[in-house]
């Protein structure tokens, strides 16, 4: 019992100090070693060098290309004016009376194409503020609209999304970014449909009582130190964002702006479906390359090829619009470093906890709650850890590193589709991560200049409650019909 309390204490302290803005680079190793010391089950130095650092390094080796290329792609989309061009086109077609839908669609299109949610939030917020003011919709609903479009259905549900939350399960289950597309589309429809229904209902209620946009200071804030620290585990370093880019006037046409987004999805799909089956990958069985199999790496390879293709396209078509190609590339590359090290540190923390003898009892309890259903087991583990860490990617990585092999064995024993496992894992990562201490939540509220008290309630509904409903739905469908 004391050992379990020690683990819980480490988790609670991780959540508390992360919310207070302490970097995970310090918290993760320190609290992992605290758990080891309190239980007395593992030697301290060996736990740090052989367990924590080894697992941290393994995560970086596996996923650094995705963080790296994704950050460069997002920076180029921002600096070239492509993100704002897409937003302006969508808004011009929908009009001010569809302000909420316009903001959600703008965020959704950009994040589905691989643009970091932080880049999207900074690019779209000024446009959203103008739209909501013209439509006399309360400003407090903007964070909910940004959250719905940027970190719900496009992050975890839509098949093919290059988001890291959709990429992490691939090596564990031998799947691709298009795993269980039917389940993904259903989950996405539930999230988008119920989320829009909620936000529209809130806007109608505000209109009925005469609540308008309100009096607010509309200046786009410079990210403060606390906001930067809290955001660095979610895929982009705010130190590399320059809100002044919103003043750019020579935006590309919509067709040129949307082309890189389309390329990411299309090239990803074609590489998996057409290129991989034609490749001779027998060399992967050699010790020099792991050994591994094409099933374990094809998903990551396809996203690497897709993002690289889109980056080259952006450079070729936006060269003259970029103030400095070197600066954009450098800042994009730099923006990937802190996020992956923070997420990898969470993986190292989870590895130390998983190595403690008491973790087997915790595992047995969590698996026992699933009644032998691997979809329930993986959902329970991932949602719990994502909630505690405040990170979808971090919580999922901890769960899969510690229990991934057991999930695969349980899926095989129950004839459960690994594609369904992938999709449930991805959706589960985004079901409870958006709690008040989540870095993305804090950053979006900071960008909008609003407090948790003013706007978090709507974020909770569209980014926590609704995704949980979608998760339960696809668990039921996956259990009854398998992966489709």
């Amino acid at each position: 019992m004391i050992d379990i309390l020690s683990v819980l204490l480490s988790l609670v302290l991780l959540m508390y100090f992360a919310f207070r803005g302490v970097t995970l680079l310090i918290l993760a190793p320190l609290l992992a070693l605290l758990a080891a010391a309190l239980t007395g089950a593992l030697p301290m130095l060996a736990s740090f060098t052989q367990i924590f650092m080894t697992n941290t390094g393994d995560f970086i080796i596996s996923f650094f290309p995705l963080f790296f290329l994704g950050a460069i792609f997002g920076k180029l989309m921002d600096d070239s004016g492509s993100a704002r061009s897409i937003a302006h086109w969508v808004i011009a077609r929908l009009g001010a009376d569809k302000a909420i839908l316009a903001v959600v669609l703008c965020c959704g299109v950009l994040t589905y194409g691989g643009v970091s949610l932080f880049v999207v939030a900074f690019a779209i917020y000024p446009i959203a503020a103008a739209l909501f003011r013209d439509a006399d919709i309360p400003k407090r609903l903007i964070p909910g609209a940004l959250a719905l479009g940027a970190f719900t259905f496009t992050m975890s549900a839509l098949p093919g999304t290059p988001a890291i939350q959709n990429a992490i399960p691939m090596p564990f289950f031998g799947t691709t970014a298009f795993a269980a597309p039917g389940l993904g589309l259903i989950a996405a429809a539930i999230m988008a449909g119920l989320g829009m229904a909620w936000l529209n209902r809130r806007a109608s209620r505000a209109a009925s009582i005469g609540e308008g946009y309100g009096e607010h200071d509309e200046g786009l804030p410079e990210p403060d130190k606390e906001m930067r620290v809290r955001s660095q585990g979610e895929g982009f370093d705010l130190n590399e964002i320059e809100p002044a880019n919103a003043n750019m006037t020579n935006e590309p046409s919509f067709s040129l702006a949307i082309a890189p987004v389309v390329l990411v999805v299309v090239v990803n799909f074609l590489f998996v479906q057409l290129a991989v089956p034609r490749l001779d990958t027998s060399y992967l069985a050699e010790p020099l390359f792991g050994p591994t199999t094409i099933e374990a790496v094809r998903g990551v390879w396809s996203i690497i090829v897709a993002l690289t293709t889109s980056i080259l396209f952006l450079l070729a078509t936006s060269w003259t619009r970029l103030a400095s190609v070197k600066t954009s590339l450098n800042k994009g590359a730099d923006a990937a470093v802190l996020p992956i090290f923070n997420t990898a540190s969470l993986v190292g923390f989870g590895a130390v906890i998983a190595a403690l003898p008491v973790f087997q009892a915790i595992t047995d309890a969590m698996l026992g709650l699933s009644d032998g259903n691997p979809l329930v087991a993986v959902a329970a583990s991932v949602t719990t850890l994502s909630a505690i860490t405040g990170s979808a990617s971090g919580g999922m990585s901890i769960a899969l590193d510690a229990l991934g092999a057991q999930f695969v064995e349980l899926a095989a024993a129950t004839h459960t589709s690994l594609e369904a496992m992938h999709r449930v894992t991805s959706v589960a990562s985004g079901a409870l991560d958006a709690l008040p201490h989540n870095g993305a939540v804090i950053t979006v509220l900071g960008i909008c200049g609003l407090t948790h008290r003013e706007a978090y309630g709507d974020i909770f509904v569209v980014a926590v409650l609704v995704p949980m409903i979608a998760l339960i739905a696809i668990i039921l469908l996956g259990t009854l019909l398998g992966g489709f």
Side-chain angles (χ1 to χ4, degrees), residues 53-147:
M53 288 307 304
T54 298
N55 284 272
T56 297
D58 287 346
F59 182 87
I60 294 171
I61 290 169
S62 296
F63 296 109
F64 181 74
L66 305 190
F67 279 80
F68 173 71
L69 293 171
I72 290 176
F73 177 71
K75 186 62 177 170
L76 290 175
M77 284 290 290
D78 185 29
D79 288 357
S80 68
S82 297
R84 286 176 297 283
S85 175
I86 293 170
H88 290 150
W89 187 90
V90 171
I91 289 162
R93 296 304 180 278
L94 291 177
D97 60 325
K98 296 288 192 300
I100 295 176
L101 178 60
V103 171
V104 171
L105 284 180
C106 290
C107 294
V109 169
L110 291 170
T111 51
Y112 185 54
V115 183
S116 164
L117 68 91
F118 295 110
V119 174
V120 171
F122 269 99
I124 301 301
Y125 167 69
I127 301 170
L131 272 177
F132 277 52
R133 190 187 310 109
D134 291 344
D136 211 23
I137 299 172
K139 181 184 179 181
R140 59 184 173 80
L141 296 181
I142 293 179
L146 294 175

Side-chain angles (χ1 to χ4, degrees), residues 152 156 187 190-191 194 379-380 382-384 387 424 427-435 460-476:
T152 59
S156 61
I190 292 172
M191 292 184 203
L194 292 182
V382 172
T383 52
T384 300
V424 167
V427 172
S429 73
L432 279 183
D433 69 314
L435 296 180
F460 177 82
V461 172
V462 303
V464 177
L465 183 59
V466 169
M468 279 298 295
I469 294 172
L471 175 62
I472 293 169
I474 64 169
I475 289 175
L476 292 174

Side-chain angles (χ1 to χ4, degrees), residues 328-348:
S328 294
L329 291 174
N330 286 348
K331 284 184 174 293
D334 291 344
V337 177
L338 279 175
I340 193 169
F341 270 86
N342 274 304
T343 304
S345 294
L346 282 175
V347 173

Side-chain angles (χ1 to χ4, degrees), residues 57 84 175 197 249 261 280 328 475:
R84 286 176 297 283
T175 49
T249 57
V261 174
D280 178 10
S328 294
I475 289 175

Side-chain angles (χ1 to χ4, degrees), residues 133-200:
R133 190 187 310 109
D134 291 344
D136 211 23
I137 299 172
K139 181 184 179 181
R140 59 184 173 80
L141 296 181
I142 293 179
L146 294 175
L148 177 59
F151 46 97
T152 59
F153 58 95
T154 58
M155 182 183 82
S156 61
L158 281 180
T161 176
I164 191 66
Q165 292 81 2
N166 191 39
I168 289 173
M170 296 189 299
F172 294 94
F173 300 131
T175 49
T176 72
F178 294 89
L183 292 177
L185 289 172
I186 290 170
I190 292 172
M191 292 184 203
L194 292 182
M196 279 301 306
W198 172 263
L199 292 175
N200 285 332

Side-chain angles (χ1 to χ4, degrees), residues 4 36 82 112 130 199 226 241 328 349 386 388 395 416 423:
I4 292 178
S82 297
Y112 185 54
L199 292 175
E226 189 173 6
I241 289 183
S328 294
F349 169 84
S386 295
I388 291 170
T416 300
R423 188 54 54 206

Side-chain angles (χ1 to χ4, degrees), residues 343 346 381-382 384-387 389-400 429:
T343 304
L346 282 175
S381 302
V382 172
T384 300
L385 290 168
S386 295
T389 60
S391 168
S393 56
M396 183 196 323
S397 298
I398 292 173
L400 292 180
S429 73

